[in-house]
Amino acid sequence: MKSQLDEKLQAIYQEVLYRNPGEAEFHQAVHEVLETLGPVLGKYPEFVDKKIIQRICEPERQIIFRVPWRDDRGEIQINRAFRVEFNSALGPYKGGMRFHPSVYLGIIKFLGFEQTFKNALTGLPIGGGKGGSDFDPKGRSDSEIESFCQSLMLELYRHIGEYTDVPAGDIGVGSREIGYLFGQYKRITNRYESGVITGKGLDWGGSRARKEATGYGVVLFTHEMLKSKSDSLAGKKVVVSGSGNVAIYAIEKAQELGATVVACSDSAGFIHDERGLNLETIKRIKEVERRRISSYVESHKSARYVPGSSIWAIPCDIALPCATQNELTGRDAKVLVENGCRVVAEGANMPTTPEGVQLFQLAGICFAPGKAANAGGVATSALEMQQNASRDSWSSEYTQKRLEDIMVDIHASCYETAGEFGAEGDYVAGANIAGFLKVARAMSALGVI
Ligand code: GLU
């Protein structure tokens, strides 16, 4: 179920549907933003005259290319890759690369669109972009991953640069892939241009706390939401979906702030232990051994593994969806509400369906959308760019302090903007409007370009 759009916005949305056929996720992301922009257009008619929303919905540039490579048996494989350079009003395009078989243009466009507002919310000088490939890293050897990354960069290098477009990681792209991508960029261009890509290793230009930043940021945002209600994470029961980078460091920060994380998952199923999960084991399985989460129960007899069904059936106070888009449906939201969940913060990008978001809001749940709650990752990428530009390397404490301050500011800006536009406590409206206003003002100042 979708909410009605303001009349002017309805026409714009119809045009988006018409111009971008078959891209359901992109349509969904655009609708979720337009839903909240009605009051903004009333207050700023110049944005209507300047067709800012129509321009924001159209990526500045979309690159689609073939990635041929050879697997370990010598067989040629062909993948398709994308880089969508969405909006550069606030800075160079910035956003991750996703390697997953579900990737197609509609997914990359939804992610690039979201990234534009998310990056604006960080207050740092970064525009929005996203890329990826339908390459499936599952079961591939190191050398296959290396060949694929090198072939992909052989085309991508001509489109990126520290002042142009700065990729990073996302699902299926971690420090190993970033290493191969950066190495190939350096070889082709003969330039040690650290600021061309973020998420680098600590020995070769990376930022301390970048790996932890998205997950930590989600929990820091949650902490701010609770604080505004004179509450805290201490003693709360938390369910985190996923077991990738975002999930792992969300669990770490939640545990550090006194919560008990009772469940996490991968695409095959979830693990559950009412006594709390052991993060060291999860890190070993996922970061070192690269195995499925089901193997957790081999070393923890009090835990159970449940294949296939929804992790959201587990009662909790706080739910942190950190897996992928549309993983938390209207049905899941209903169960969470019935089980007494009070707070939901999105670690993944658009993990809650529109029905789910609506149900949470009707039930008065404190709901933080991904573009605000998970902005700590890209914010720390922007900090990595700062360090690279000044050939500096900051301590972990300093970087984490900067991340904390940024998350506090994002929370304040969403909270205050929602209040200003008559939507007290609505973080979806607050995030969309605050992000939109920053981009719209810059676009307006830069002319029709
Ligand atoms: N992929 C991450 C995101 O969704 C991070 C992007 C980056 O660091 O550039 O925000």
Side-chain angles (χ1 to χ4, degrees):
M1 200 182 11
K2 282 178 177 169
S3 320
Q4 269 313 101
L5 291 178
D6 181 274
E7 201 183 315
K8 281 191 214 78
L9 291 165
Q10 183 59 38
I12 296 174
Y13 182 63
Q14 285 309 322
E15 186 70 13
V16 168
L17 293 181
Y18 176 74
R19 290 170 68 86
N20 305 278
E23 297 176 355
E25 297 82 0
F26 179 52
H27 303 160
Q28 183 184 333
V30 170
H31 198 279
E32 283 193 0
V33 169
L34 297 194
E35 254 172 37
T36 55
L37 292 186
V40 182
L41 295 190
K43 196 163 170 189
Y44 298 94
E46 65 268 30
F47 293 154
V48 180
D49 300 339
K50 292 186 172 176
K51 299 205 172 173
I52 297 288
I53 298 188
Q54 290 93 322
R55 282 154 62 191
I56 271 185
C57 291
E58 181 71 22
E60 288 176 18
R61 189 177 298 106
Q62 305 181 55
I63 303 146
I64 305 180
F65 53 101
R66 179 176 69 193
V67 185
W69 57 284
R70 255 180 227 282
D71 67 17
D72 286 347
R73 294 178 309 167
E75 194 181 320
I76 295 172
Q77 300 285 340
I78 296 132
N79 286 99
R80 184 177 291 173
F82 307 84
R83 188 74 190 165
V84 174
E85 299 180 333
F86 226 103
N87 195 299
S88 62
L90 294 175
Y93 310 106
K94 181 82 197 84
M97 295 290 289
R98 175 176 293 191
F99 293 171
H100 192 270
S102 65
V103 164
Y104 76 106
L105 186 58
I107 296 253
I108 300 301
K109 274 163 74 175
F110 118 64
L111 290 164
F113 182 77
E114 290 277 296
Q115 198 84 46
T116 301
F117 301 101
K118 182 196 307 194
N119 294 4
L121 282 173
T122 66
L124 297 163
I126 40 178
K130 201 85 187 193
S133 172
D134 57 6
F135 171 72
D136 186 359
K138 257 199 198 90
R140 290 294 180 189
S141 70
D142 261 6
S143 75
E144 289 178 319
I145 302 276
E146 181 177 353
S147 304
F148 174 77
C149 288
Q150 290 181 341
S151 179
L152 182 139
M153 188 51 85
L154 205 47
E155 172 59 36
L156 188 65
Y157 87 94
R158 67 186 90 244
H159 306 288
I160 61 176
E162 66 172 315
Y163 295 106
T164 315
D165 183 356
V166 183
D170 194 84
I171 293 171
V173 179
S175 61
R176 173 180 59 169
E177 291 73 17
I178 296 294
Y180 296 142
L181 290 167
F182 180 63
Q184 178 77 334
Y185 180 86
K186 185 175 80 61
R187 179 166 70 163
I188 298 168
T189 60
N190 192 30
R191 283 166 63 87
Y192 206 105
E193 190 185 330
S194 303
V196 72
I197 196 160
T198 62
K200 298 181 293 296
L202 297 186
D203 296 329
W204 39 280
S207 162
R208 289 189 177 74
R210 173 62 191 90
K211 189 167 72 165
E212 296 84 354
T214 313
Y216 279 15
V218 174
V219 175
L220 292 169
F221 195 95
T222 306
H223 173 74
E224 286 303 301
M225 290 200 290
L226 288 163
K227 212 165 92 183
S228 75
K229 295 185 172 303
S230 311
D231 202 349
S232 80
L233 273 134
K236 296 285 187 300
K237 197 198 280 193
V238 180
V239 168
V240 178
S241 64
S243 49
N245 196 48
V246 182
I248 287 177
Y249 293 96
I251 296 174
E252 185 161 287
K253 189 49 101 185
Q255 290 180 341
E256 198 184 300
L257 296 180
T260 305
V261 181
V262 296
C264 75
S265 61
D266 64 16
S267 56
F270 66 82
I271 52 167
H272 176 208
D273 188 343
E274 277 299 305
R275 300 199 304 200
L277 298 176
N278 182 308
L279 189 59
E280 286 323 302
T281 310
I282 298 172
K283 281 188 182 173
R284 172 173 51 78
I285 293 170
K286 300 311 280 190
E287 293 182 338
V288 183
E289 298 168 358
R290 295 182 188 273
R291 288 166 74 204
R292 306 303 311 216
I293 201 67
S294 54
S295 53
Y296 180 90
V297 295
E298 290 166 13
S299 42
H300 295 276
K301 298 297 171 214
S302 58
R304 64 184 180 122
Y305 172 68
V306 182
S309 66
S310 174
I311 192 172
W312 307 118
I314 299 168
C316 62
D317 303 305
I318 299 171
L320 304 177
C322 297
T324 195
Q325 68 272 353
N326 292 328
E327 54 157 309
L328 198 164
T329 63
R331 195 185 313 155
D332 295 324
K334 192 164 172 284
V335 175
L336 279 166
V337 171
E338 281 166 6
N339 285 342
C341 174
R342 301 304 307 151
V343 178
V344 179
E346 295 186 325
N349 292 312
M350 208 171 73
T352 315
T353 64
E355 293 75 14
V357 176
Q358 204 174 44
L359 266 154
F360 286 145
Q361 291 187 324
L362 284 173
I365 299 272
C366 226
F367 174 78
K371 61 172 80 66
N374 74 34
V378 76
T380 308
S381 275
L383 300 183
E384 183 171 333
M385 290 162 72
Q386 275 185 36
Q387 290 166 83
N388 294 150
S390 57
R391 300 182 185 278
D392 201 355
S393 170
W394 305 344
S395 70
S396 185
E397 294 70 32
Y398 179 70
T399 315
Q400 285 196 49
K401 176 75 182 88
R402 291 282 304 262
L403 168 64
E404 241 176 84
D405 292 347
I406 291 168
M407 295 316 295
V408 169
D409 286 351
I410 296 175
H411 175 269
S413 126
C414 295
Y415 189 84
E416 282 156 22
T417 308
E420 218 177 287
F421 284 82
E424 194 79 41
D426 180 346
Y427 288 95
V428 175
N432 287 345
I433 297 173
F436 172 78
L437 284 177
K438 274 194 189 134
V439 183
R441 283 197 195 106
M443 286 176 75
S444 185
L446 297 182
V448 183
I449 52 169

